[in-house]
C-alpha cells in the first residue's frame, strides 16, 4: 500500500528560539484505510539540559492501492528509507523561507507563492504537505500583520489535504 497525508494539525504550547527540536511520534490508531499518529515536539536549548514541550501534532494518513486507470503519481522509492542514522546538526545555512522558496508577492492581499522544486517535492513528485502548511501559515500571518500592523504568530494550524499539488507555482488566496 501507499500512504498519503490527509491531515496535519499542529498546536503550539511554547517557544523554541535556539537549540534543538526533538519530535517523538506515537502510533495512535491504525485501520484498514487510515493511520493516525500523534507527535510531541520538544525543545532543548543550548544553555540548559531541560526539555520543554513546544507543540503537539496530529497527522492522518490514507492507505491506498492505486486503482487501474486512476491517476496517481508514481512514488520515488529511492527516497523512502534513506533517512540518516543521526540527524544533521549543522543547522540551516540560509533562512528557511528562502531555502523553501516562499515569496510574498503582495502583503495587502497576503499573496504568497512557492515554485515547484526538487527541495519541496515529496516522494510522489508533488508539493510536500509540510510546505503546503508553511504556505498557508505565512499567508495567514501576512494577512493578520498587514490588517492590524501588529506582529502575530500562528499558534494553531490544521490542514486537510484534498489532492496532490503537482504543477506549480502554488499561490495563496487570502
Amino acid at each position: 500500500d501507499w500512504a498519503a497525508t490527509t491531515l496535519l494539525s499542529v498546536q503550539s504550547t511554547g517557544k523554541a528560539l535556539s537549540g534543538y527540536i526533538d519530535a517523538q511520534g506515537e502510533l495512535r490508531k491504525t485501520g484498514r484505510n487510515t493511520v493516525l499518529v500523534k507527535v510531541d515536539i520538544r525543545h532543548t536549548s543550548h544553555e540548559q539540559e531541560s526539555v520543554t514541550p513546544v507543540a503537539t501534532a496530529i497527522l492522518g494518513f490514507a492507505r491506498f492501492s492505486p486503482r487501474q486507470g486512476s491517476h496517481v503519481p508514481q512514488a520515488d522509492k529511492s527516497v523512502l528509507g534513506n533517512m540518516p542514522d543521526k540527524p544533521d546538526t549543522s543547522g540551516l545555512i540560509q533562512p528557511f523561507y528562502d531555502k523553501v522558496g516562499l515569496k510574498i508577492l503582495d502583503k495587502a492581499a497576503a499573496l504568497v507563492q512557492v515554485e515547484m522544486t526538487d527541495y519541496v517535492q515529496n516522494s510522489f513528485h508533488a508539493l510536500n504537505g509540510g510546505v503546503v502548511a508553511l504556505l498557508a501559515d505565512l499567508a495567514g500571518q501576512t494577512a493578520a500583520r498587514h490588517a492590524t500592523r501588529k506582529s502575530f504568530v500562528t499558534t494553531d494550524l490544521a490542514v486537510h489535504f484534498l489532492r496532490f499539488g503537482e504543477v506549480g507555482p502554488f499561490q495563496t488566496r487570502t
Side-chain angles (χ1 to χ4, degrees):
D1 287 346
W2 291 355
T5 307
T6 56
L7 165 71
L8 171 63
S9 175
V10 180
Q11 181 179 34
S12 298
T13 57
K15 292 181 182 179
L17 301 176
S18 66
Y20 300 96
I21 296 293
D22 172 62
Q24 191 166 28
E26 175 186 346
L27 183 63
R28 294 307 286 261
K29 179 182 178 185
T30 182
R32 196 180 83 181
N33 297 318
T34 60
V35 175
L36 192 63
V37 176
K38 177 184 176 221
V39 180
D40 291 317
I41 303 167
R42 302 172 302 190
H43 168 251
T44 304
S45 70
H46 291 294
E47 298 81 31
Q48 55 187 336
E49 294 296 320
S50 65
V51 176
T52 307
V54 293
T56 299
I58 301 292
L59 292 92
F61 301 94
R63 295 165 56 169
F64 64 96
S65 297
R67 294 183 183 162
Q68 187 172 1
S70 66
H71 173 69
V72 177
Q74 288 294 314
D76 183 351
K77 294 182 180 175
S78 68
V79 298
L80 302 175
N82 287 336
M83 296 298 291
D85 292 335
K86 63 179 190 173
D88 177 14
T89 58
S90 62
L92 293 172
I93 58 172
Q94 71 185 104
F96 186 62
Y97 284 170
D98 293 345
K99 179 69 176 171
V100 171
L102 289 175
K103 294 178 185 161
I104 300 173
L105 302 179
D106 183 345
K107 287 183 181 180
L111 179 62
V112 181
Q113 176 176 295
V114 66
E115 297 283 345
M116 178 63 90
T117 64
D118 289 344
Y119 189 76
V120 299
Q121 286 184 7
N122 62 19
S123 59
F124 293 103
H125 299 287
L127 187 64
N128 181 289
V131 176
V132 172
L134 193 62
L135 189 64
D137 177 44
L138 182 57
Q141 287 186 40
T142 300
R145 290 174 180 174
H146 183 78
T148 64
R149 305 287 185 236
K150 295 181 181 177
S151 180
F152 284 97
V153 294
T154 305
T155 57
D156 295 293
L157 178 68
V159 180
H160 297 264
F161 299 96
L162 303 176
R163 66 176 164 209
F164 292 114
E166 298 178 76
V167 179
F170 301 94
Q171 293 183 345
T172 60
R173 183 171 21 145
T174 308

